[in-house]
Amino acid sequence: MKLLLVEDDETLNRNLTFFLEKEGYQVDSCLNGEDALYYLQEGSPDLILLDRMLPLLDGMEVLKKIRQAQNRTPVLMLTALGTLADKVDGLDAGADDYLVKPFAMEELLARIRSLCRRSGLAPADSAYDTEDALTLHYGDLWLNPRLHELKGPSGTVTLSNRESSLLQYFLQNGGQALSRGQLLIKVWGPDSEVEEGNLDNYIFFLRRRLKSLKSRLRIATLRGVGYRLEGGDSHVV
């Protein structure tokens, strides 16, 4: 499921993106209202998380333009303006729900799930046609990249989009030394300004996944180089 996050606070934007991707959502994010309209022209998110106070074009104007274009994508407005009048204004402008900052991440997820149910959308990481999905196999692991499902000796887990992309690259290059630069470009893209610490976080998540599945494979750290997945032969089935 694809989300568009429009939030001008760079730290909050980055943290929300990281959290939502970890929960299995695909996230496009931007910092102002004009970029939000550009993203909407270029793609079709399933749900929009929209800050009310934005530079260049504020959230209320963005929302009005979305609805004037007959775009019915669900919009969850995120804002520090929490009076009854503020909420009424946002809902009357076309928002489907209204969440006041600061908020708990658990409540944000619950609001997203609620909007998904009301709009008939599938939850994150579900409902793909798997007939043409390729399964990658390395050692005692099997990964379905489209479903983001990882199977190991003790069962099956569902990965986030980013975890799945990172592990897919490891499986396709099992036994090979992969530099940090290679991993960042392959998983985050060549133009991304992601910090290297994010890669370390996802390596930690994947190692925890492998441990939970009781896999014999391990992601080895190669000092001064990067990482290597060790433990078997990879192939597609």
Side-chain angles (χ1 to χ4, degrees):
M1 181 177 172
K2 187 175 181 180
L3 308 179
L4 173 61
L5 170 64
V6 191
E7 167 58 60
D8 69 318
D9 184 310
E10 294 188 24
T11 299
L12 180 58
N13 189 308
R14 184 168 56 250
N15 291 341
L16 285 174
T17 298
F18 177 80
F19 175 78
L20 291 168
E21 287 180 339
K22 185 174 180 296
E23 291 297 320
Y25 294 97
Q26 180 182 350
V27 183
D28 286 332
S29 65
C30 58
L31 300 170
N32 63 70
E34 289 187 356
D35 284 350
L37 295 179
Y38 171 79
Y39 271 96
L40 288 170
Q41 291 174 351
E42 294 298 312
S44 300
D46 297 302
L47 190 147
I48 302 168
L49 306 177
L50 180 64
D51 186 20
R52 180 162 177 165
M53 294 184 291
L54 295 168
L56 302 183
L57 193 67
D58 71 34
M60 291 291 283
E61 288 300 316
V62 172
L63 182 55
K64 290 175 182 177
K65 288 181 179 295
I66 291 172
R67 296 310 185 218
Q68 287 170 358
Q70 304 301 311
N71 185 331
R72 305 314 304 169
T73 302
V75 173
L76 172 56
M77 186 160 276
L78 310 176
T79 178
L81 301 177
T83 69
L84 177 59
D86 292 325
K87 294 178 182 179
V88 171
D89 287 345
L91 295 171
D92 282 346
D96 296 271
D97 202 354
Y98 199 100
L99 185 57
V100 178
K101 302 175 185 176
F103 50 79
M105 294 298 189
E106 291 78 7
E107 182 177 5
L108 175 62
L109 291 177
R111 298 292 185 101
I112 291 173
R113 291 193 296 267
S114 176
L115 285 175
C116 289
R117 290 192 298 269
R118 284 158 52 184
S119 305
L121 297 171
D125 292 331
S126 68
Y128 285 94
D129 179 2
T130 62
E131 289 187 4
D132 62 343
L134 297 178
T135 300
L136 297 171
H137 174 214
Y138 184 81
D140 55 7
L141 294 180
W142 286 260
L143 173 69
N144 184 320
R146 291 189 62 190
L147 290 176
H148 311 312
E149 288 183 351
L150 178 63
K151 182 179 180 180
S154 66
T156 302
V157 297
T158 300
L159 306 179
S160 71
N161 291 339
R162 196 78 75 187
E163 286 176 317
S164 181
S165 296
L166 181 57
L167 183 58
Q168 179 178 348
Y169 193 57
F170 273 120
L171 294 174
Q172 291 170 333
N173 298 276
Q176 300 182 36
L178 301 175
S179 71
R180 299 174 67 86
Q182 281 179 280
L183 295 168
L184 288 168
I185 290 173
K186 182 65 179 179
V187 179
W188 278 269
D191 299 322
S192 173
E193 297 181 358
V194 63
E195 297 177 359
E196 288 198 8
N198 282 348
L199 173 59
D200 298 327
N201 288 335
Y202 277 97
I203 294 294
F204 171 78
F205 295 149
L206 287 182
R207 284 171 169 163
R208 190 168 58 183
R209 298 287 197 180
L210 300 187
K211 183 177 180 179
S212 72
L213 291 173
K214 295 181 170 53
S215 173
R216 295 188 301 273
L217 304 185
R218 61 186 292 267
I219 299 175
T221 299
L222 308 178
R223 293 193 178 278
V225 179
Y227 298 95
R228 179 172 58 216
L229 181 65
E230 301 176 345
D233 297 324
S234 62
H235 57 275
V236 176
V237 296

